[in-house]
Amino acid sequence: MRILLLLLIGFLFAKADESFLMQTHIRMLPKIMALDTRLASKAPSSKLILAIVYDTNKKANAQLIANEMNTIHNGKVSNFSFTALPVSVDELMTRKEITFVYSIQHTTAPSIKKIAAWGIANTVPTFSYDVNDMEFGILGSIAIERSTIIYINKNTLKEGKYRFNDTLFQIARLVE
Amino acid sequence: MNRFKNARLSTKLFTALTLVTFIIFTTVTLVTFFIVRDLTINSQKEKAALLIDTVNPAISLALFLGIHDFGDKLSAITKRPEVISLKISDAKRDVILDYHHYDHSTSHETIQISENLMEPSSLKVIGTITLVYSGEEFTKAMNRFYTLYGWISVSVFAILWLMMVWINHLLLPIKLIAEKVRNFKLGKKIIFDIPYSQREFTQIIHSFEIMQESVIQYAQEIESINKNLEIKISEQTREAIRHLYYDNLTSLPNRIKLQEDLQLNDINTVAILNIDDFKEINDFFGIDTGDWLLSQIAHWLSEMKLKPYRMGGDEFAFRMKEGSSHNEFCHDIEMLLSLLSEKFFMIAEETVHVRATVGIAIDSDKPLIHADVALNKARSAKLPYSVYDQSEGIEQQYQANIAMSAHIRQALVEHRIICQYQPIVSCENGKIAKYETLVRIQNEDGSLIAPYDFLPIAQKTKLYHHITQEVVYQACHLFASRDEQFSINLSISDMLDNRTVTTIENILRQTGTSNRIIFEILESEGIENFDEAASFIARMKAFGVKFAIDDFGTGYSNFENILKLNVDILKIDGSLIKSIDENPRHRIVVEAIVDFAHRIGIDTVAEFVSSEEILQNVTDLGITYAQGFHTGKPQYLEHKPM
């Protein structure tokens, strides 16, 4: 019983932690997108598209996150208007107007690799829910440790020729 | 201001130096102070700003991204001891971070810097960061500045004080020179021995030495000039005294000397000697000869041991000798006159006999006046000398004459010279034929002064002409309204006075009375001044004026002169008429005059007809008119309406 209770408490804490991290991602990712200095030239249309990428059966989660993001930011970040859209990995490969990619939780490693490769090829910043995804070439992620930390993949940053506002690098932690 | 003007040179120099130094030092200090203060405070501000700039981007991004955990990002500045506090606010001014460093123990001025936190991409203001920075370094810097300038001030004023001492020391020779020059005395040469010799002081000393030589030389010259001047002044004084007290012509002491001598001692017995008829000598021989004679007389008088004084003109004076009596003095004067009458003086190779008259005042309080009075008395009485006698009242008479003179002058001014008219009646029918104008002075109380009381005095004081003009004016204007003839007495001096003659002519023209007026001339005056009288008569006859000889019969005129004067009437003197009954000689004279008048065809007037008998006599003798108290007293006449 005790073991069950501990497991329940651990589960509840884990859920709460995930929720808090997700909320942090939802709040911060559009703003990090706005720090891309090539953003204005990348978006021919008036609205930027922040793609919430999912694997085949996670569209509902992606939709939920996109809705939450659009609600919180009210479609605007900094001087830009944007829309968060759920986009599947395959769909992402075909679309060109996307300006920022966020890979949701539990995306598979092959998908992550595809997303990272696509991001590097199109110089579109790719962030992932899981910090470990950065091993597959994802540009960055946000983790909550003693404080909120933005991780940037140094190699991907170079490879994808990304350009961000310099201040980002003052608070971000660059990793290899 | 005046005190500064008169202040010592060293004081002025020091004051100027202090003032200039103070101004420069204060200006430099203030400028430096402001520069140091601004530099220091700006430096501190820049430091504070730099600190903020260091964290601003990270804080801005963190705030933008919603990361409110700034600890790591701010640690770079919060660990610095100068940072007192740090405050971060969002755009809504809600304080997100308020950090305070509590360790600062001393209280210093603080510097507060605020900067906006900007959104990195859009540069929108998303918050504010405010840093309060410690001013300790600024305070320390300023304290170092104050200490430094305090020492500089002390040094500057110490240098100034040393300069003052130095200036005083430099100018000491001037003080020494001034002291020596101040004590300079003629005859005592200054030796300038000063402790050191700058070129300026040696030049001053050299100049003073040259000046000293000049002063000494001038002083000697002035002293010499002064001595000469004193001698000259002394000579001039003696000369002035001689001029003041001694007569230039005779070198005898003069009237002023006599007056002073009289005041110096008690002898108040004085004699004044006047040379008789000296005017004739002057007229005859000339003034120079007259002066020469006077100097001879003066010399002779001096030889007589009487110590003569010259009073002026032909008058000399003597003062009674000390120890002499009045009788001896009078005797000496008598002797002097006697000797003088025997003395002959030489003038132009001719001998001249000089006579003199003397007036003596004995023990008189006014010796010169009284001696003069006595002299006049002696001359009037034809005496060789006369002694002033107070009881004779001569002085009072003189005073009365002076008073009368003033009275006449006043009467002329106040129009109190009036005329009365005495009738002259025809012996043939007893009717008034004419009037003689008789002048009076009317006193303020209405009483009258007779002409013989004031006319002689008027003649002496030159008021006579004014009286004559007044009488002619009154009589002519009166008889202009009447039809009788009238006569007015004229003196020879009136005839000789041009102004009086012109006035008479003007009055005659104005009044038209020239054919009825008769001017009476005294027989004695007419004959003595024959030419002048004849000229006047001829001038007036041209106007139709008639002339009468007044008081005829008393003088010694001859009938030829009477004929030449061309007179119209002879007024026989009253002294002959009034005794015509008793004195056969007078009757013979009157008969001769009447006969002469008849023969030359002129009228006669008998004066002093005081009774019926006399009137009858003069009528019997064939005299044309009679005048006297019996025939009519002097009276006022009135204007007759035309």
Side-chain angles (χ1 to χ4, degrees):
Chain A
M1 190 65 187
R2 189 175 289 178
I3 294 167
L4 283 173
L5 189 64
L6 284 170
L7 286 171
L8 182 64
I9 292 169
F11 178 76
L12 286 174
F13 269 105
K15 279 291 173 187
D17 215 30
E18 284 174 9
S19 175
F20 180 67
L21 181 62
M22 184 52 66
Q23 281 298 315
T24 303
H25 282 199
I26 287 169
R27 286 180 186 278
M28 288 179 67
L29 285 173
K31 292 179 182 178
I32 292 171
M33 177 184 69
L35 294 174
D36 182 355
T37 53
R38 293 179 182 172
L39 196 60
S41 60
K42 280 180 187 174
S45 61
S46 58
K47 274 197 174 179
L48 307 176
I49 295 172
L50 197 156
I52 311 296
V53 181
Y54 61 91
D55 267 343
T56 50
N57 56 349
K58 300 287 183 191
K59 187 180 180 182
N61 290 348
Q63 186 66 55
L64 202 68
I65 292 166
N67 290 344
E68 183 77 7
M69 199 174 279
N70 286 332
T71 304
I72 287 172
H73 292 285
N74 200 23
K76 277 200 88 173
V77 62
S78 191
N79 289 330
F80 304 103
S81 298
F82 79 98
T83 305
L85 290 175
V87 177
S88 67
V89 175
D90 295 333
E91 191 183 355
L92 176 70
M93 299 300 129
T94 58
R95 296 190 70 156
K96 300 289 182 187
E97 74 277 23
I98 292 167
T99 51
F100 193 89
V101 172
Y102 176 62
S103 169
I104 63 171
Q105 195 179 10
H106 305 304
T107 305
T108 59
S111 295
I112 290 295
K113 285 179 183 174
K114 282 174 74 178
I115 292 166
W118 180 87
I120 291 166
N122 293 288
T123 321
V124 176
T126 53
F127 269 64
S128 172
Y129 176 84
D130 192 349
V131 176
N132 295 324
D133 290 343
M134 289 169 71
E135 290 175 20
F136 304 111
I138 287 295
L139 179 63
S141 183
I142 296 166
I144 296 173
E145 295 170 16
R146 268 180 56 217
S147 63
T148 306
I149 297 169
I150 299 170
Y151 286 100
I152 301 284
N153 189 329
K154 198 174 172 183
N155 295 329
T156 307
L157 187 69
K158 283 181 185 173
E159 201 176 346
K161 297 175 183 172
Y162 297 105
R163 297 287 183 270
F164 286 97
N165 193 304
D166 293 341
T167 51
L168 178 64
F169 302 112
Q170 289 183 18
I171 61 167
R173 189 175 292 173
L174 294 176
V175 290
E176 291 187 14
Chain B
M1 198 65 188
N2 282 334
R3 278 183 71 180
F4 184 73
K5 272 184 182 174
N6 300 326
R8 291 167 56 188
L9 184 59
S10 57
T11 309
K12 281 183 179 178
L13 275 173
F14 180 69
T15 309
L17 202 62
T18 307
L19 206 62
V20 169
T21 310
F22 179 76
I23 290 167
I24 292 171
F25 183 73
T26 309
T27 309
V28 169
T29 305
L30 285 174
V31 169
T32 315
F33 168 77
F34 287 120
I35 289 170
V36 168
R37 190 194 65 175
D38 291 350
L39 281 175
T40 312
I41 207 159
N42 285 341
S43 163
Q44 296 301 97
K45 278 183 181 176
E46 279 172 13
K47 279 184 184 175
L50 198 63
L51 286 177
I52 290 183
D53 287 344
T54 308
V55 299
N56 187 320
I59 299 298
S60 294
L61 187 62
L63 193 62
F64 175 61
L65 295 175
I67 304 169
H68 290 180
D69 178 11
F70 304 110
D72 293 341
K73 300 168 189 68
L74 294 175
S75 62
I77 59 172
T78 51
K79 66 183 177 186
R80 296 186 70 89
E82 299 93 346
V83 176
I84 293 170
S85 70
L86 186 72
K87 187 188 279 182
I88 296 170
S89 311
D90 62 11
K92 295 173 185 172
R93 298 189 181 279
D94 292 335
V95 177
I96 297 166
L97 177 80
D98 191 4
Y99 164 80
H100 284 275
H101 180 73
Y102 294 105
D103 288 344
H104 64 280
S105 53
T106 53
S107 61
H108 300 286
E109 284 189 36
T110 55
I111 297 157
Q112 181 171 306
I113 300 269
S114 287
E115 275 189 19
N116 287 329
L117 297 170
M118 317 285 269
E119 189 186 302
S121 55
S122 64
L123 300 178
K124 283 182 184 171
V125 176
I126 55 172
T128 310
I129 180 166
T130 304
L131 175 71
V132 178
Y133 195 79
S134 170
E136 186 178 358
E137 198 174 331
F138 168 74
T139 307
K140 282 179 181 172
M142 291 314 293
N143 284 340
R144 281 197 297 277
F145 174 82
Y146 297 143
T147 309
L148 175 69
Y149 269 86
W151 281 110
I152 291 173
S153 303
V154 170
S155 305
V156 165
F157 284 100
I159 290 166
L160 275 176
W161 183 79
L162 287 172
M163 283 186 77
M164 187 186 75
V165 173
W166 185 58
I167 288 168
N168 265 331
H169 183 66
L170 274 182
L171 297 177
L172 181 66
I174 292 181
K175 200 175 165 185
L176 292 172
I177 292 166
E179 202 168 318
K180 283 182 179 290
V181 172
R182 191 165 52 241
N183 296 325
F184 172 68
K185 283 176 186 167
L186 277 174
K188 191 180 175 184
K189 197 173 178 182
I190 305 172
I191 296 165
F192 294 98
D193 47 348
I194 56 170
Y196 48 91
S197 54
Q198 269 85 1
R199 192 171 174 184
E200 290 84 351
F201 297 132
T202 52
Q203 283 176 344
I204 291 171
I205 288 167
H206 183 61
S207 302
F208 268 120
E209 281 170 347
I210 291 170
M211 194 181 79
Q212 187 178 219
E213 293 297 327
S214 300
V215 168
I216 290 167
Q217 194 181 337
Y218 281 130
Q220 286 168 350
E221 284 173 14
I222 286 169
E223 198 175 351
S224 169
I225 291 167
N226 268 345
K227 279 180 184 169
N228 287 335
L229 276 176
E230 278 173 13
I231 292 166
K232 280 188 180 173
I233 288 167
S234 175
E235 284 172 1
Q236 293 287 331
T237 307
R238 276 200 299 276
E239 187 65 16
I241 290 169
R242 202 182 69 73
H243 275 293
L244 182 65
Y245 290 117
Y246 290 88
D247 177 50
N248 281 337
L249 179 65
T250 61
S251 299
L252 292 178
N254 60 13
R255 176 186 282 272
I256 297 169
K257 179 71 174 153
L258 175 60
Q259 284 170 334
E260 284 201 2
D261 288 348
L262 287 169
Q263 283 173 354
L264 285 175
N265 55 42
D266 298 333
I267 297 170
N268 290 323
T269 299
V270 171
I272 294 176
L273 179 146
N274 180 265
I275 308 296
D276 294 345
D277 303 324
F278 187 76
K279 185 176 179 299
E280 289 174 8
I281 293 169
N282 259 349
D283 292 345
F284 190 75
F285 293 104
I287 291 170
D288 292 341
T289 308
D291 286 347
W292 191 79
L293 177 61
L294 282 173
S295 62
Q296 278 197 67
I297 293 168
H299 181 69
W300 181 81
L301 290 171
S302 299
E303 285 177 345
M304 291 294 105
K305 312 290 183 193
L306 279 173
K307 285 187 72 181
Y309 296 81
R310 187 181 178 209
M311 302 296 281
D314 55 352
E315 277 190 354
F316 297 88
F318 310 96
R319 208 157 54 88
M320 192 177 77
K321 291 177 192 169
E322 278 186 49
S324 184
S325 69
H326 299 145
N327 288 337
E328 283 169 352
F329 183 64
C330 289
H331 177 70
D332 289 345
I333 296 297
E334 274 183 63
M335 284 296 293
L336 179 80
L337 288 174
S338 172
L339 291 169
L340 184 62
S341 65
E342 294 167 5
K343 172 75 179 169
F344 288 95
F345 295 95
M346 292 300 293
I347 296 177
E349 298 177 351
E350 286 186 34
T351 54
V352 176
H353 182 75
V354 173
R355 285 181 291 110
T357 308
V358 175
I360 301 169
I362 294 169
D363 266 348
S364 169
D365 53 343
K366 299 174 196 166
L368 292 179
I369 294 169
H370 290 165
D372 203 42
V373 170
L375 175 65
N376 285 337
K377 181 190 161 193
R379 288 167 73 175
S380 303
K382 311 277 186 200
L383 295 169
Y385 75 93
S386 170
V387 177
Y388 176 76
D389 183 358
Q390 195 166 6
S391 64
E392 290 174 357
I394 295 172
E395 195 181 359
Q396 285 79 359
Q397 184 60 49
Y398 282 179
Q399 286 171 353
N401 288 350
I402 292 165
M404 179 55 79
S405 173
H407 197 68
I408 295 167
R409 205 178 298 273
Q410 193 70 18
L412 277 165
V413 173
E414 294 173 0
H415 301 291
R416 287 191 284 105
I417 302 291
I418 58 161
C419 293
Q420 288 188 326
Y421 303 93
Q422 187 171 33
I424 299 172
V425 300
S426 168
C427 291
E428 193 179 339
N429 55 22
K431 289 183 178 173
I432 295 170
K434 53 191 88 179
Y435 290 93
E436 182 182 358
T437 308
L438 301 171
V439 66
R440 291 4 177 186
I441 287 178
Q442 190 171 41
N443 287 322
E444 287 172 351
D445 61 358
S447 62
L448 298 178
I449 301 173
Y452 50 79
D453 284 337
F454 65 86
L455 285 182
I457 296 162
Q459 273 178 327
K460 286 178 186 171
T461 54
K462 299 186 179 177
L463 293 170
Y464 193 84
H465 304 315
H466 295 284
I467 294 172
T468 300
Q469 288 168 29
E470 179 67 23
V471 168
V472 171
Y473 177 85
Q474 288 188 24
C476 288
H477 278 84
L478 174 71
F479 283 98
S481 66
R482 301 174 69 97
D483 49 9
E484 298 96 344
Q485 287 187 324
F486 60 102
S487 64
I488 297 170
N489 289 287
L490 282 187
S491 73
I492 193 70
S493 67
D494 289 330
M495 296 176 207
L496 296 176
D497 183 52
N498 283 334
R499 190 169 174 184
T500 304
V501 173
T502 306
T503 304
I504 289 170
E505 285 177 346
N506 289 338
I507 293 169
L508 291 178
R509 282 195 198 97
Q510 287 166 13
T511 57
T513 52
S514 57
N515 58 346
R516 285 186 287 126
I517 192 167
I518 302 159
F519 285 129
E520 297 184 10
I521 307 166
L522 279 175
E523 182 197 2
S524 54
E525 284 192 340
I527 301 308
E528 284 172 11
N529 304 280
F530 180 81
D531 291 336
E532 292 86 352
S535 171
F536 176 76
I537 288 168
R539 187 172 169 180
M540 288 294 131
K541 285 253 176 183
F543 283 89
V545 176
K546 290 188 173 70
F547 282 86
I549 296 289
D550 201 11
D551 296 342
F552 189 77
T554 55
Y556 301 96
S557 56
N558 58 44
F559 290 113
E560 189 184 356
N561 285 339
I562 300 300
L563 286 171
K564 282 181 185 172
L565 283 175
N566 194 21
V567 297
D568 305 287
I569 299 163
L570 291 178
K571 293 189 78 172
I572 302 163
D573 188 67
S575 62
L576 296 172
I577 298 298
K578 68 182 178 186
S579 58
I580 198 166
D581 293 341
E582 301 147 8
N583 193 331
R585 287 177 183 272
H586 286 181
R587 188 177 179 90
I588 291 165
V589 172
V590 172
E591 281 174 353
I593 292 167
V594 172
D595 183 52
F596 169 71
H598 282 168
R599 283 175 186 274
I600 63 172
I602 60 174
D603 291 333
T604 48
V605 178
E607 291 179 306
F608 281 22
V609 177
S610 55
S611 64
E612 182 59 31
E613 289 77 22
I614 295 171
L615 177 61
Q616 192 57 54
N617 274 324
V618 299
T619 304
D620 292 345
L621 285 171
I623 292 172
T624 322
Y625 302 104
Q627 179 184 356
F629 269 43
H630 180 68
T631 53
K633 293 178 181 175
Q635 59 190 266
Y636 297 110
L637 290 180
E638 290 180 355
H639 288 263
K640 284 185 177 175
M642 298 297 287

